[in-house]
């Protein structure tokens, strides 16, 4: 098996993908405590995979894509959990959940149309939003703290707009683009 595939960061991303069905079952059964525990494991491993990728110098295109796929699946399970376990919260946040969903779907569709591949930019804005979504989600379901959750969703929308702009600026598909400024510099360097 490829050495790049068998790395700590890839293992953590694959773990997150394996936790998705567990989250789905917990949500379907209405097991809020199990759902929150498994989600916490998933979200902590999300923070660790990027850290270890950089620390161990194991940053790869495959790892970036695994991380993005695991992110998308985990966030879909968060919405499913709200719908099945906390329906009043889901109803209150419906507009923001639609915005969050579109902030994932639109950049992916645009990158697929432009490059035929899944975008894995991992911008600074996306990293900040990913870091904030965990406390925002938990504060929302445990303490009904809506403002912070909604602010994080607005940040996700801004991140999506940046990713769409990056897709239009790039000449070919790339992973791990720090910001729109990086893609602007890349496009100027090629000119």
């Amino acid at each position: 098996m490829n050495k790049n595939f068998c790395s700590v960061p890839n293992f953590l991303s694959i773990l997150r993908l394996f936790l998705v069905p567990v989250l789905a079952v917990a949500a379907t059964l209405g097991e809020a405590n199990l759902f929150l525990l498994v989600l916490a494991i998933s979200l902590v491993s999300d923070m660790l995979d990027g850290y270890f990728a950089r620390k161990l110098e194991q940053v790869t295109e495959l790892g970036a894509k695994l991380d993005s796929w695991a992110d998308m699946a985990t966030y879909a399970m968060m919405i499913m959990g709200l719908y099945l376990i906390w329906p009043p919260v889901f109803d209150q946040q419906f507009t923001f959940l639609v915005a969050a969903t579109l902030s994932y779907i639109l950049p992916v569709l645009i990158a697929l149309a432009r490059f035929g591949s899944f975008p894995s930019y991992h911008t600074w804005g996306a990293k900040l939003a990913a870091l904030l979504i965990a406390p925002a989600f938990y504060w929302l379901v445990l303490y009904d703290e809506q403002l912070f959750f909604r602010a994080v969703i607005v940040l996700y929308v801004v991140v999506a707009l940046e990713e769409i702009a990056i897709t239009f600026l790039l000449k070919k598909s790339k992973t791990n683009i720090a910001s729109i400024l990086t893609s602007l510099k890349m496009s100027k360097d090629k000119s």
Side-chain angles (χ1 to χ4, degrees):
M1 190 174 279
N2 186 332
K3 179 183 146 198
N4 289 334
F5 184 77
C6 295
S7 66
V8 171
N10 288 357
F11 170 78
L12 291 170
S13 292
I14 291 167
L15 169 67
R16 289 173 49 224
L17 288 168
F18 279 117
L19 291 176
V20 168
V22 179
L23 287 168
V25 169
T28 302
L29 296 176
E31 293 289 338
N33 290 336
L34 177 61
F35 183 88
L36 292 173
L37 174 65
V38 173
L39 180 61
I41 293 167
S42 181
L43 293 171
V44 168
S45 67
D46 182 27
M47 287 185 269
L48 293 175
D49 68 357
Y51 170 77
F52 283 123
R54 290 182 296 281
K55 186 79 169 165
L56 300 173
E57 297 180 10
Q58 295 177 335
V59 176
T60 65
E61 193 165 321
L62 172 64
K65 290 187 185 300
L66 282 172
D67 181 55
S68 293
W69 295 333
D71 286 346
M72 187 168 283
T74 301
Y75 296 148
M77 289 301 102
M78 291 169 76
I79 293 172
M80 181 180 172
L82 286 176
Y83 179 74
L84 294 173
I85 301 171
W86 299 279
V89 175
F90 179 88
D91 292 343
Q92 289 174 335
Q93 304 307 318
F94 182 77
T95 303
F96 287 88
L97 295 171
V98 169
T101 303
L102 290 174
S103 75
Y104 278 97
I105 292 172
L106 290 178
V108 168
L109 291 177
I110 292 169
L112 285 171
R114 182 154 166 81
F115 301 122
S117 67
F118 193 91
S120 298
Y121 298 139
H122 298 103
T123 63
W124 286 109
K127 290 176 184 180
L128 176 62
L131 183 68
L132 295 175
I133 196 62
F137 183 86
Y138 281 85
W139 289 352
L140 176 68
V141 299
L142 297 175
Y143 306 112
D144 195 30
E145 175 49 54
Q146 298 180 36
L147 185 60
F148 183 42
F149 180 79
R150 291 176 176 186
V152 173
I153 299 304
V154 169
L155 177 58
Y156 270 106
V157 170
V158 171
V159 166
L161 294 172
E162 180 184 38
E163 290 182 353
I164 290 168
I166 289 169
T167 298
F168 284 115
L169 287 170
L170 292 176
K171 302 292 183 218
K172 63 180 185 170
S173 180
K174 293 201 179 290
T175 58
N176 298 319
I177 306 290
S179 72
I180 193 167
L181 298 176
T182 306
S183 60
L184 281 168
K185 184 178 183 313
M186 291 167 69
S187 67
K188 285 181 183 176
D189 290 344
K190 305 255 175 164
S191 306

